Amino acid sequence: MAFRAQTLLPLWPKRLPQVYHLTPHRPFSQSMHPNQKTLLKRLSALHATIPPYPYPPQHTYTQSNFGLYGGTHIQFGNIVSERTKIKTRRKWHPNVHNKRLWSEGLGRFVRIRVTARALRTIDKCGGLDEYLLGGSKARIKEMGWGGWALRWRVLRSPKGRERMQEERRAIGVQEMTQPKITVVPREVDERLRSMIQQYDEMSGAGEGSESVVQQYDEMLEESERVVESEEAAAKSDKEEVWEDIAEEDKEKEKGQKDKREPVFI
């Protein structure tokens, strides 16, 4: 046998032939994105556009970071036999449900995982928005990372902004106003730049600059008039558009029932 093996070994190929699969690769993948494979990367991707949550995420019960769990988590204990007093380890999971909850701020249903404990609190508060917009530290800690993201989605809605403005008025704080941005037309901007360059050249040569300053003031007045006229025209166009939209909405509400689509978070 030893002699036969020595004679057959040189005939055995050193490398096995490569096997080519006839089935093509799948054009899609069900695996998670590399940035979302870990808990921290997934949370940072979902909370990239909102203020940071003041509490750390849950690492032992990770699914509570993506829903309204009301601070509940898995509990561990023992089952004790009455006869032999033998202890058997066991655990209790929270009572979690997939629910569609109505949001007044968003104007639609929100599909989210919520526990029975959080549902009772939402009923006592008077709705999902009242539960999310609570300002106490205990409420913010109870809602978790999922509730924090949904809270800022409600605050960004038009109804949420109106509510915040009313609360600021009641407290006596100055209302939040958006800064006014004046856009100078391109032609006026180019003429202003040429006037500034001419002013710099004349001031460097020591010549009189009163005429240049007067022309510069006239250009500024002209630019302000142009901007005011454009703002007035844009405002009138917006009012007409919103009036048409309001009329269409009224007609739809009369003839059709309100069909709401759920929002997934």
Side-chain angles (χ1 to χ4, degrees):
M1 289 295 295
F3 176 76
R4 187 177 180 184
Q6 290 179 0
T7 56
L8 292 177
L9 278 176
L11 301 177
W12 189 264
K14 295 183 179 179
R15 291 184 179 180
L16 294 174
Q18 188 175 2
V19 178
Y20 294 94
H21 295 282
L22 299 178
T23 57
H25 294 287
R26 299 177 69 182
F28 62 92
S29 176
Q30 294 180 347
S31 60
M32 298 178 63
H33 194 271
N35 293 336
Q36 297 184 0
K37 285 188 176 180
T38 62
L39 176 65
L40 294 177
K41 288 183 178 180
R42 184 179 178 187
L43 289 175
S44 61
L46 294 175
H47 293 249
T49 59
I50 61 176
Y53 186 59
Y55 298 98
Q58 293 289 337
H59 291 277
T60 56
Y61 191 47
T62 55
Q63 65 175 329
S64 63
N65 297 309
F66 306 97
L68 298 177
Y69 282 70
T72 57
H73 53 84
I74 300 177
Q75 295 181 356
F76 300 90
N78 299 318
I79 299 175
V80 183
S81 174
E82 296 181 359
R83 181 181 176 185
T84 60
K85 304 299 180 182
I86 296 175
K87 295 182 180 179
T88 306
R89 294 293 293 175
R90 63 152 299 177
K91 53 187 176 181
W92 291 267
H93 290 270
N95 189 10
V96 185
H97 303 274
N98 288 321
K99 292 291 184 180
R100 292 171 67 246
L101 303 178
W102 174 257
S103 173
E104 292 290 342
L106 300 176
R108 62 183 66 186
F109 285 98
V110 178
R111 186 180 292 277
I112 189 171
R113 284 181 296 186
V114 60
T115 59
R117 176 181 175 180
L119 275 176
R120 287 195 298 269
T121 309
I122 291 171
D123 292 337
K124 290 178 182 179
C125 292
L128 180 63
D129 294 353
E130 299 294 335
Y131 173 80
L132 294 172
L133 300 180
S136 63
K137 293 183 180 179
R139 178 61 55 77
I140 293 174
K141 188 174 182 179
E142 179 185 342
M143 69 177 62
W145 285 70
W148 182 258
L150 190 57
R151 172 192 175 98
W152 281 98
R153 185 184 294 181
V154 173
L155 286 174
R156 287 176 178 177
S157 63
K159 291 185 178 180
R161 292 178 180 177
E162 291 178 2
R163 176 171 176 168
M164 294 302 296
Q165 293 287 4
E166 293 176 358
E167 291 181 359
R168 293 174 71 89
R169 292 194 206 102
I171 298 172
V173 184
Q174 186 179 2
E175 297 183 8
M176 298 173 63
T177 57
Q178 296 181 356
K180 185 178 180 181
I181 301 173
T182 58
V183 181
V184 181
R186 185 179 296 177
E187 298 178 356
V188 178
D189 188 19
E190 293 177 356
R191 292 169 64 184
L192 286 172
R193 290 181 179 179
S194 63
M195 294 293 294
I196 292 170
Q197 292 177 0
Q198 186 180 359
Y199 174 77
D200 293 338
E201 292 174 359
M202 293 179 66
S203 61
E207 300 178 1
S209 59
E210 295 180 357
S211 60
V212 179
V213 173
Q214 291 179 358
Q215 294 177 2
Y216 182 71
D217 293 337
E218 291 176 358
M219 291 295 298
L220 286 176
E221 292 178 359
E222 183 179 354
S223 65
E224 290 177 357
R225 292 171 187 170
V226 172
V227 170
E228 289 177 357
S229 62
E230 289 183 353
E231 288 180 353
K235 187 176 181 181
S236 62
D237 294 340
K238 286 182 180 178
E239 290 178 354
E240 293 178 358
V241 171
W242 281 112
E243 288 177 358
D244 297 339
I245 292 172
E247 291 179 358
E248 292 178 358
D249 293 340
K250 289 180 180 178
E251 292 178 358
K252 289 180 180 179
E253 288 178 359
K254 290 180 181 179
Q256 298 179 358
K257 293 182 179 178
D258 190 7
K259 295 182 180 179
R260 309 293 182 182
E261 297 181 359
V263 178
F264 297 91
I265 66 170

